[in-house]
Amino acid sequence: MIELYTWNTPNGQKIPIFLEETGTPYNFHPVHIGKGEQKTPEFLAINPNGKIPAIVDTEGPDGEPLRVFESAAILQYLAEKTGQLIPAHPRRRAEALMWLAFQIGGVGPMFGQAGFFLRAKERNEQAIERYTTESQRLFGVLERRLGEEEYLAVEYSIADMATYPWVRASQFVGSDVLQQALADAPNVRRWCAAIAARPAVERALQITKEKSQ
């Protein structure tokens, strides 16, 4: 059984999407980050970095419980455990892991910082320019890739489910620049619509929203 600790954020939505897509049994434990529950001793015992998401696999590789934190590590671990949503072919597998790293190192931090500074009480124009410009550039990278292939690693994979929640969230951060970047990216919009229409994705987002009340 997978014990999932998460909250309704772009990072927090990734693992529920995977679990719903694969039909993997799990228990959802909401970690209210607004109340600082991610900093409690109980949660820090699972993730010493004090961030969601995290999981405990009660049936780890040696039959003993195993904790896994950091969303990319969780996705890769679960994909390898279930044999799903990571390409078997070495070349496509490498593509999936590269685009997963692209989300972790680029899309998530840049989109997240853009959203933070756009909503900050004190407006910092230099920071807003820095992060919205880089986010705009990353949209261009995604647009080119999704003009070449239906999904980031050719077939639907953990790379897509890591990236989609952040692209989805970019519509709601209050940035005309990011909204325009999405409007100018028809391939990204096509990809977003295809993922949004997946029943497992709909379930995962709804469950995460309901549990994070």
Side-chain angles (χ1 to χ4, degrees):
M1 178 68 71
I2 301 299
E3 304 295 335
L4 169 65
Y5 300 83
T6 194
W7 193 248
N8 192 27
T9 69
N11 275 341
Q13 293 163 356
K14 299 173 185 178
I15 311 308
I17 290 175
F18 180 95
L19 295 169
E20 289 293 328
E21 286 280 12
T22 57
T24 302
Y26 69 101
N27 293 317
F28 191 115
H29 303 277
V31 179
H32 197 314
I33 60 176
K35 295 181 179 179
E37 292 178 356
Q38 75 278 21
K39 304 300 183 183
T40 63
E42 293 79 10
F43 186 76
L44 289 172
I46 300 169
N47 182 358
N49 194 32
K51 293 183 179 293
I52 57 93
I55 67 167
V56 173
D57 181 358
T58 61
E59 300 175 352
D62 54 2
E64 296 296 322
L66 173 69
R67 70 174 187 182
V68 187
F69 57 89
E70 296 298 329
S71 60
I74 298 169
L75 286 171
Q76 186 172 353
Y77 171 78
L78 290 173
E80 291 174 348
K81 179 182 176 72
T82 63
Q84 298 183 65
L85 294 170
I86 189 167
H89 190 282
R91 185 175 296 275
R92 290 191 178 178
R93 180 186 175 87
E95 287 282 356
L97 295 178
M98 284 188 288
W99 286 106
L100 177 62
F102 171 79
Q103 186 280 308
I104 296 301
V107 171
M110 295 300 107
F111 286 20
Q113 293 289 353
F116 174 84
F117 283 105
L118 284 162
R119 289 191 289 261
K121 293 181 180 179
E122 295 185 10
R123 192 168 178 87
N124 184 323
E125 295 296 343
Q126 185 177 22
I128 291 171
E129 172 68 16
R130 165 75 177 96
Y131 292 115
T132 55
T133 298
E134 179 62 5
S135 296
Q136 198 173 19
R137 186 189 72 81
L138 293 170
F139 262 113
V141 177
L142 290 170
E143 175 67 7
R144 289 190 294 276
R145 176 56 176 172
L146 293 168
E148 300 167 346
E149 303 290 350
E150 184 177 5
Y151 296 106
L152 291 173
V154 183
E155 59 192 85
Y156 181 59
S157 74
I158 56 175
D160 301 290
M161 60 187 63
T163 308
Y164 168 71
W166 281 103
V167 175
R168 175 178 179 268
S170 71
Q171 304 171 66
F172 311 115
V173 298
S175 170
D176 292 341
V177 173
L178 295 187
Q179 290 174 359
Q180 189 60 52
L182 183 58
D184 292 340
N187 295 315
V188 175
R189 295 201 313 276
R190 182 269 307 160
W191 169 83
C192 278
I195 295 176
R198 297 178 68 90
V201 174
E202 292 180 352
R203 287 196 307 274
L205 294 178
Q206 185 61 34
I207 290 168
T208 306
K209 180 180 178 180
E210 291 175 353
K211 294 285 189 179
S212 302
Q213 299 293 333

